[in-house]
Amino acid sequence: MEIIGEKINTTRKDVQKAVRERDAAFIQELAQKQAEGGAAFLDVNSGLALYPEEEAEDFAWLVPLIQKTVDLPLCIDSGRPQPIEAALKLHRGKAMINSVNGDPAKMGEIFPLVKKYGCKVIALTSSREGGIPATSEERLKIAQTIATEAQKYGVPLGDIYFDPLVMALSTQHGNGTLFLETLRGIKKNLGEAKTVSGLSNISFGLPKRRLMNQVFLVLALGCGMDAAILDPTDKALMAMIRAGETLMGKDPFCAKYISAFREGRLDV
Amino acid sequence: MEIIGEKINTTRKDVQKAVRERDAAFIQELAQKQAEGGAAFLDVNSGLALYPEEEAEDFAWLVPLIQKTVDLPLCIDSGRPQPIEAALKLHRGKAMINSVNGDPAKMGEIFPLVKKYGCKVIALTSSREGGIPATSEERLKIAQTIATEAQKYGVPLGDIYFDPLVMALSTQHGNGTLFLETLRGIKKNLGEAKTVSGLSNISFGLPKRRLMNQVFLVLALGCGMDAAILDPTDKALMAMIRAGETLMGKDPFCAKYISAFREGRLDV
């Protein structure tokens, strides 16, 4: 499972402050720690910037700063195409864009960038008019629409990470199985397409969120989820992912599991 | 998920001693604690008795003692039909027999008891001649043979708990997925049949066994496992099962999860 580190996000107050004040050391430490924790990508979100120009400037500062610190590709997380392109221009290696969805206008903005810069892209199984559909079938239909549209731009299916979309279990007790069904459906029907999600919404409004998030991650891993947006410095969660991947047969001779043990990564 | 408490087992030295010395308080405490932890059945194994008569006497002491202490059905765990029947004669409620397998002689011993005493039964997907098959298909074939044979005795499929059989990941890194595939195959092809397993063999020979056992249990739960033989006094494991069942949509309004939280059962 590819881990996308979630911590460089300006919706977190301390990150917002660090970005506004251009506190390089703070950002570099966040990047370093997530890389050490096992991140394959780092999400970078500066969406609290007031204007697109300001967000583009933020990215122009953040992207080289982070890539100078860690040798990882970034996941450029923004609702605006201009700042995304500003980030991509400075990005080294194969970036990921977070995100496109089933909205034709959105696809028209994002897919040309995906193609031009040879990126990966996260695709939410929602649309502008219909919001987040209530059934797995409708979400799959949106995923199929996105896959078809991507093809027109020459974007390979294997570069698209579909997000089945997690909603809180506290509002509807079937939201967990709805997510897992959608995930399995995408894996089954969309060939090489990848799947990704942030999982913590599932536990919104419930106690012991950490427990629930951990268990949900393992269930998603069991259904073949390819990537997750989470906190790679959460040692317990990362240990469960390591154990889960080994259990899912993806670790010949359990070599990665045993290495993780020797490095103290399973001590939680 | 129905939990079968594993602790009253004479392969554990202290239990063996308590059974030999007829230490009622020790056994009663084991029973009480497992019931409080959330067991639906208690496994009772006196297999270290030297002779069948001795084992039958052990059961004749254990069964009423435990059922006087806790209001739970027992899972009579023995390789010998005579002691099993001695236990069933004294058992109150619907017992479970642990176990039958695909061996015709074994089925000929066990199914008449299952029918006569109206029990449930654990059925291992192995046979005398072939041992434990190396593929999911062969294990499924044995399960089907057992299901067909059970029908001849008038034993309902819903009373059979098939065990897909866990083998150590350390000997073959595909043993986890082999188990999960077999589990899914049984759920798909054998209608009302149940599934059960002890899971801890998976981590044999590996470090951090507790972590691996927990994650494997969640993966099995995600594939629809109906019951598990484990230690119900393991609070962390039981909390994960509670979270897992809620996530799998089996907990309207998350009521059981919230109750478990209020009762402190999720504090791990």
Side-chain angles (χ1 to χ4, degrees):
Chain A
M1 182 180 270
E2 292 179 300
I3 303 304
I4 303 168
E6 71 185 5
K7 300 191 82 158
I8 304 177
N9 190 317
T10 54
T11 60
R12 289 178 49 186
K13 266 189 188 166
D14 52 354
V15 178
Q16 167 71 352
K17 185 165 174 282
V19 173
R20 292 280 72 78
E21 297 174 0
R22 298 293 188 250
D23 180 352
F26 184 96
I27 299 295
Q28 288 180 301
E29 197 189 339
L30 272 188
Q32 191 64 50
K33 286 205 168 151
Q34 293 184 96
E36 284 165 10
F41 290 85
L42 298 183
D43 192 80
V44 183
N45 175 310
S46 190
L48 285 199
L50 283 178
Y51 306 103
E53 298 73 26
E54 189 185 346
E55 196 183 353
E57 276 170 34
D58 288 347
F59 276 141
W61 176 69
L62 282 163
V63 169
L65 175 69
I66 297 167
Q67 291 204 308
K68 191 174 72 183
T69 312
V70 296
D71 190 21
L72 287 180
L74 307 181
C75 180
I76 308 300
D77 186 357
S78 169
R80 301 155 168 162
Q82 303 87 340
I84 292 176
E85 184 155 19
L88 294 176
K89 278 183 180 160
L90 296 167
H91 187 278
R92 204 162 24 82
K94 187 162 183 149
M96 187 182 276
I97 297 176
N98 187 3
S99 58
V100 71
N101 61 31
D103 176 20
K106 189 78 177 174
M107 292 194 278
E109 280 172 6
I110 298 297
F111 279 133
L113 293 177
V114 176
K115 178 64 184 170
K116 181 173 174 190
Y117 293 93
C119 303
K120 303 182 179 211
V121 62
I122 295 177
L124 312 182
T125 54
S126 60
S127 63
R128 193 190 179 96
E129 69 279 11
I132 298 179
T135 69
S136 165
E137 292 73 24
E138 290 167 281
R139 292 185 192 183
L140 262 174
K141 216 174 142 187
I142 293 177
Q144 264 144 348
T145 304
I146 295 171
T148 307
E149 193 66 14
Q151 216 172 11
K152 294 183 195 162
Y153 289 91
V155 172
L157 202 51
D159 280 343
I160 307 179
Y161 287 65
F162 287 101
D163 185 340
L165 296 173
V166 179
M167 293 171 78
L169 213 56
S170 54
T171 59
Q172 173 48 256
H173 73 269
N175 276 343
T177 46
L178 172 60
F179 176 90
L180 297 171
E181 260 174 51
T182 309
L183 179 57
R184 275 192 298 257
I186 293 166
K187 297 299 294 174
K188 193 178 163 192
N189 297 306
L190 284 168
E192 290 165 18
K194 306 288 199 305
T195 46
V196 67
S197 195
L199 294 159
S200 55
N201 280 352
I202 194 74
S203 59
F204 182 79
L206 287 174
K208 299 285 171 190
R209 294 191 63 178
R210 204 148 173 268
L211 166 71
M212 192 153 260
N213 294 346
Q214 287 173 345
V215 173
F216 193 48
L217 182 71
V218 174
L219 290 172
L221 197 148
C223 292
M225 196 160 80
D226 300 282
I229 303 173
L230 50 77
D231 176 3
T233 69
D234 182 336
K235 214 171 161 181
L237 195 59
M238 293 300 284
M240 293 183 96
I241 294 172
R242 180 64 272 147
E245 298 216 287
T246 298
L247 286 161
M248 291 299 288
K250 292 174 184 166
D251 185 9
F253 308 107
C254 305
K256 289 181 190 169
Y257 183 80
I258 292 167
S259 287
F261 167 69
R262 291 195 177 134
E263 290 161 10
R265 291 175 183 266
L266 308 182
D267 297 330
V268 289
Chain B
M1 182 181 270
E2 293 178 299
I3 303 305
I4 304 168
E6 71 184 5
K7 299 191 84 158
I8 303 177
N9 190 316
T10 54
T11 60
R12 287 179 50 187
K13 265 189 188 166
D14 53 354
V15 177
Q16 167 72 349
K17 185 165 176 280
V19 172
R20 291 280 73 77
E21 296 175 0
R22 298 293 189 251
D23 180 350
F26 184 95
I27 299 295
Q28 288 180 300
E29 198 189 340
L30 272 189
Q32 190 65 49
K33 288 206 166 152
Q34 292 185 95
E36 284 165 10
F41 290 86
L42 298 183
D43 192 80
V44 183
N45 175 310
S46 190
L48 284 199
L50 283 178
Y51 306 103
E53 298 73 26
E54 188 185 347
E55 195 183 354
E57 276 172 34
D58 288 348
F59 276 140
W61 176 68
L62 283 163
V63 169
L65 175 69
I66 298 166
Q67 290 204 307
K68 193 174 73 183
T69 312
V70 295
D71 191 21
L72 287 180
L74 307 182
C75 179
I76 308 299
D77 185 358
S78 169
R80 300 156 168 160
Q82 303 87 340
I84 292 175
E85 184 155 21
L88 294 176
K89 277 182 181 162
L90 296 166
H91 187 278
R92 201 160 29 80
K94 187 163 182 147
M96 188 182 276
I97 297 176
N98 186 4
S99 57
V100 71
N101 60 31
D103 175 19
K106 189 78 177 173
M107 292 194 278
E109 280 173 6
I110 299 296
F111 279 132
L113 294 176
V114 177
K115 178 64 183 169
K116 181 174 175 189
Y117 293 93
C119 303
K120 304 182 178 209
V121 61
I122 294 176
L124 312 182
T125 54
S126 60
S127 63
R128 191 191 180 96
E129 69 279 12
I132 299 179
T135 69
S136 166
E137 291 73 25
E138 291 167 280
R139 293 185 192 182
L140 262 174
K141 215 174 142 187
I142 293 177
Q144 263 144 347
T145 305
I146 295 172
T148 306
E149 193 66 14
Q151 215 172 9
K152 294 183 195 162
Y153 290 90
V155 172
L157 202 51
D159 281 343
I160 307 179
Y161 287 64
F162 288 100
D163 185 340
L165 297 173
V166 179
M167 293 171 78
L169 212 54
S170 54
T171 60
Q172 173 47 255
H173 73 269
N175 276 342
T177 45
L178 172 61
F179 175 89
L180 298 171
E181 260 174 50
T182 309
L183 178 56
R184 275 192 297 258
I186 293 166
K187 297 299 294 173
K188 193 179 164 193
N189 297 305
L190 285 169
E192 292 165 18
K194 306 288 198 303
T195 45
V196 68
S197 194
L199 294 159
S200 56
N201 281 352
I202 195 72
S203 58
F204 182 79
L206 287 174
K208 298 285 171 189
R209 295 191 62 177
R210 203 146 174 267
L211 167 70
M212 193 153 256
N213 294 347
Q214 287 172 345
V215 173
F216 193 47
L217 182 71
V218 174
L219 291 172
L221 198 148
C223 292
M225 195 158 81
D226 301 282
I229 304 173
L230 49 77
D231 176 4
T233 69
D234 181 336
K235 216 172 159 181
L237 196 58
M238 293 301 283
M240 293 183 98
I241 295 172
R242 180 63 273 147
E245 298 217 287
T246 298
L247 286 160
M248 291 297 290
K250 293 175 184 166
D251 185 9
F253 308 106
C254 306
K256 289 182 190 170
Y257 183 79
I258 292 165
S259 288
F261 167 68
R262 290 197 178 133
E263 290 162 8
R265 290 175 184 266
L266 307 183
D267 297 331
V268 290

